[in-house]
Amino acid sequence: MGPLAFSILRLLNDGEIRTIDHLAQSLKVSPNRILKTFDEIDQCGVVLKKIPDLGIQCPEPLNWLDANEIISNLPQTILPFHFIILDSIDSTNRFLLDQVAADFKCLHGNPVIITELQTQGRGRLGRRWYSGLGDSLTFSLFWRFNCSVRFLSGLSLAIGVALIRALTHFAIKDLTLKWPNDVLFHSRKLAGILIELSRNIRSGSAVVIGIGLNIQLSNLAKENIDQAFVDLFAITGRVIDRNKILAVLLSELSAVLIDFNHFGFSYFRNEWVRYHAYEGQLITITLPDDTIVTGVVDGVEFDGSLTLVSETGEKKSYSSGELNLR
Ligand code: BTN
């Protein structure tokens, strides 16, 4: 969706009915271009209401991202974040990784890239992450660690803990984690985490942490998602301001990241196991080479790998793969 579509939506966000001519004059383009851009908006899953003889209206205003709103909801004591809010981008992780690769020294504070629309969201294991315009929180955060990369195993599980802690602030109960880090509500996926390593770091290590959280998914996004999913609207029956949720998420994330830097995953291990949806259950893991292993879940190791007990009583840990309930 191009800049004109975003300008139209921002104008219509007050819920007023506007004629095509009014929109065209305000945005200094031809009425024809406005009409063509309506198709673009439609293809993004945003529903505009045509009112005969009167004009067009946006019946459900979008909850736009706003850096000032996010900052005003952050605790004063928190480390400085540098917010970049984009209307549309293929992937916030891709964008931030490229920024780091291009000029690491130019990054101020802890950069956070957030987008209203992500068109090629990346998921774990090479999958796609689908979301529509304004219907999710899709963002990436850059973070540096003093330790080397090999001590970062388990980081993605610790981030899952931060997400559960943050969502608990909104009185959302019954959230669980599915190894390594899917956030579930009643076995349906609410949020996903994708951590990618930054490569050109001289000392210590650094990562881009990408998070997708379903807020109130559009029908279009729902049609594309190929697994059991849920959004916050379905859980709570209300639309929670994305700016507020992001502030709370960032606050919990920075607390977890600081502790992780000092103590590693072991600090979060017990809490993680408490949240695990499949602790003590018979599951399968599909390993990266497509081998399928079956066993009963027996916690996680200090590096975040999942421990399974086989039928013969043998214990073995796995550091990557796709977990499924038997
Ligand atoms: C998963 O497969 O569960 C991980 C999904 C991660 C999606 C987020 S959305 C923001 C960030 N940018 C991306 O391209 N992916 C992550």
Side-chain angles (χ1 to χ4, degrees):
M1 212 169 80
L4 182 59
F6 281 94
S7 302
I8 294 176
L9 286 175
R10 286 199 168 91
L11 260 182
L12 289 173
N13 212 50
D14 57 9
E16 293 289 313
I17 303 166
R18 285 188 175 75
T19 62
I20 309 295
D21 285 342
H22 180 278
L23 287 173
Q25 273 167 19
S26 309
L27 298 169
K28 300 188 176 53
V29 293
S30 69
N32 221 8
R33 268 201 71 194
I34 297 282
L35 283 171
K36 279 201 185 122
T37 312
F38 284 159
D39 293 338
E40 236 181 275
I41 295 175
D42 189 53
Q43 280 159 22
C44 263
V46 177
V47 183
L48 293 180
K49 195 168 160 194
K50 292 187 183 99
I51 301 166
D53 301 329
L54 286 177
I56 195 114
Q57 185 191 34
C58 184
E60 282 182 47
L62 291 172
N63 168 218
W64 294 94
L65 296 164
D66 179 336
N68 291 330
E69 276 292 310
I70 301 166
I71 292 165
S72 69
N73 280 291
L74 278 172
Q76 305 260 306
T77 48
I78 208 157
L79 290 167
F81 287 106
H82 175 63
F83 292 104
I84 301 174
I85 300 182
L86 304 170
D87 275 345
S88 174
I89 193 79
D90 51 350
S91 153
T92 54
N93 265 32
R94 196 278 307 151
F95 179 86
L96 192 47
L97 282 166
D98 285 357
Q99 295 271 311
V100 180
D103 201 348
F104 176 62
K105 286 196 199 100
C106 271
L107 295 177
H108 313 284
N110 296 291
V112 181
I113 314 289
I114 325 150
T115 189
E116 299 285 3
L117 175 66
Q118 182 169 253
T119 55
Q120 300 281 323
R122 302 181 188 176
R124 276 184 62 241
L125 307 171
R127 298 212 182 94
R128 280 280 308 272
W129 179 264
Y130 288 99
S131 53
L133 173 65
D135 69 4
S136 302
L137 255 180
T138 44
F139 69 98
S140 301
L141 162 69
F142 178 74
W143 202 271
R144 299 168 178 83
F145 296 89
N146 298 330
C147 59
S148 88
V149 166
R150 65 201 165 88
F151 292 107
L152 295 186
S153 54
L155 175 64
S156 79
L157 283 77
I159 304 292
V161 168
L163 258 63
I164 299 256
R165 286 183 187 175
L167 292 166
T168 311
H169 286 263
F170 298 92
I172 302 165
K173 297 196 186 100
D174 293 346
L175 291 173
T176 53
L177 290 168
K178 174 182 168 188
W179 184 86
N181 56 20
D182 289 351
V183 179
L184 307 182
F185 176 78
H186 295 179
S187 307
R188 296 173 170 270
K189 187 155 167 176
L190 174 67
I193 299 160
L194 177 67
I195 297 185
E196 298 187 79
L197 281 179
S198 278
R199 303 239 166 247
N200 64 343
I201 308 300
R202 290 215 181 93
S203 67
S205 50
V207 293
V208 164
I209 301 163
I211 295 180
L213 170 66
N214 302 332
I215 304 285
Q216 187 180 13
L217 291 172
S218 65
N219 288 337
L220 193 68
K222 287 179 182 168
E223 280 162 23
N224 279 310
I225 303 175
D226 58 1
Q227 57 183 317
F229 62 88
V230 70
D231 58 22
L232 280 185
F233 183 73
I235 299 174
T236 63
R238 62 197 167 104
V239 183
I240 308 171
D241 183 356
R242 286 189 301 158
N243 299 296
K244 249 187 212 149
I245 302 182
L246 185 60
V248 176
L249 279 172
L250 288 173
S251 166
E252 292 294 350
L253 277 168
S254 43
V256 162
L257 288 163
I258 291 167
D259 284 338
F260 189 94
N261 193 34
H262 285 132
F263 311 115
F265 176 64
S266 56
Y267 188 79
F268 303 95
R269 188 177 169 214
N270 290 344
E271 188 175 355
W272 190 92
V273 171
R274 269 207 315 279
Y275 297 144
H276 194 206
Y278 301 112
E279 185 60 20
Q281 301 205 40
L282 185 63
I283 59 116
T284 62
I285 301 188
T286 309
L287 302 178
D289 66 359
D290 283 338
T291 317
I292 297 178
V293 189
T294 306
V296 172
V297 179
D298 187 19
V300 281
E301 297 300 314
F302 287 108
D303 64 357
S305 52
L306 185 77
T307 307
L308 292 190
V309 182
S310 72
E311 244 178 3
T312 57
E314 190 198 356
K315 264 191 185 187
K316 213 169 163 188
S317 296
Y318 300 89
S319 58
S320 87
E322 175 70 10
L323 184 156
N324 278 299
L325 196 60
R326 269 297 290 268

